């Protein structure tokens, strides 16, 4: 039995998203509107999707499975943030990334994110099946 392919293509670039923090991204702490951790996670997911896009074939997509971040510094509403996801390991359908977020002053978050490659048709069929059950249950 051969070992799984865990190589990352040399030409693969990190995925990067820039975003100006607005009121919808924030919670109020200490009298200031600051970037909320769930908004940091959303930005990291968006950067991760950009990073894995070159690995996907037609009819494939990726879904997040784990997010492990440390949100270490606050960011004020109006600041520019840059989220970056760098693929560090590919193991068949599993893709592991190192993630970082910087505002225009300092690094505000870092960690790891795992995604899985899915077939869009199969995934859509599973969602349709779940939607039928959720509707039947009053959901």
């Amino acid at each position: 039995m051969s070992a799984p392919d865990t190589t990352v293509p040399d030409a693969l670039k990190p995925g990067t998203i820039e975003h100006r923090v607005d009121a919808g991204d924030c919670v109020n702490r200490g009298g200031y509107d600051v970037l909320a951790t769930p908004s940091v996670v959303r930005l990291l997911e968006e950067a991760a999707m950009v990073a894995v896009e070159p690995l996907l074939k037609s009819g494939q997509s990726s879904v997040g499975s784990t997010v492990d971040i440390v949100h270490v510094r606050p960011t004020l509403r109006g600041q520019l943030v840059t989220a970056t996801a760098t693929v560090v390991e590919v193991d068949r359908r599993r893709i592991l990334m190192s993630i970082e977020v910087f505002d225009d002053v300092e690094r505000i978050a870092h960690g790891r994110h795992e995604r899985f490659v899915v077939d869009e048709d199969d995934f859509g069929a599973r969602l349709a099946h779940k939607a039928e059950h959720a509707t039947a249950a009053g959901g």
Side-chain angles (χ1 to χ4, degrees):
M1 176 181 200
S2 63
D5 180 14
T6 58
T7 59
V8 177
D10 289 335
L12 192 61
K13 295 184 179 2
T16 301
I17 295 289
E18 287 188 342
H19 177 74
R20 182 78 53 192
V21 178
D22 63 30
D25 302 318
C26 293
V27 294
N28 190 280
R29 296 290 184 264
Y32 293 92
D33 288 338
V34 294
L35 182 64
T37 301
S39 296
V40 172
V41 171
R42 179 183 48 83
L43 293 169
L44 291 169
E45 284 238 14
E46 290 175 8
M49 288 187 285
V50 171
V52 303
E53 184 66 30
L55 299 172
L56 303 176
K57 297 175 183 162
S58 178
Q60 290 182 329
S61 187
S62 70
V63 294
S65 59
T66 63
V67 177
D68 180 16
I69 69 163
V70 181
H71 188 178
V72 294
R73 298 283 185 263
T75 298
L76 297 164
R77 181 169 41 100
Q79 285 191 273
L80 182 66
V81 293
T82 304
T84 303
T86 303
V87 174
V88 296
E89 183 179 313
V90 178
D91 183 2
R92 294 175 291 250
R93 296 183 319 113
R94 180 181 158 272
I95 303 169
L96 181 63
M97 283 159 278
S98 171
I99 51 182
E100 289 188 302
V101 183
F102 288 83
D103 63 22
D104 41 16
V105 176
E106 60 194 341
R107 183 169 85 161
I108 64 162
H110 60 92
R112 297 175 83 83
H113 177 47
E114 181 181 77
R115 298 187 73 77
F116 278 84
V117 175
V118 295
D119 176 79
E120 290 176 341
D121 289 339
D122 290 344
F123 192 68
R126 287 194 304 265
L127 289 174
H129 180 73
K130 186 169 189 170
E132 288 175 19
H133 284 82
T135 302

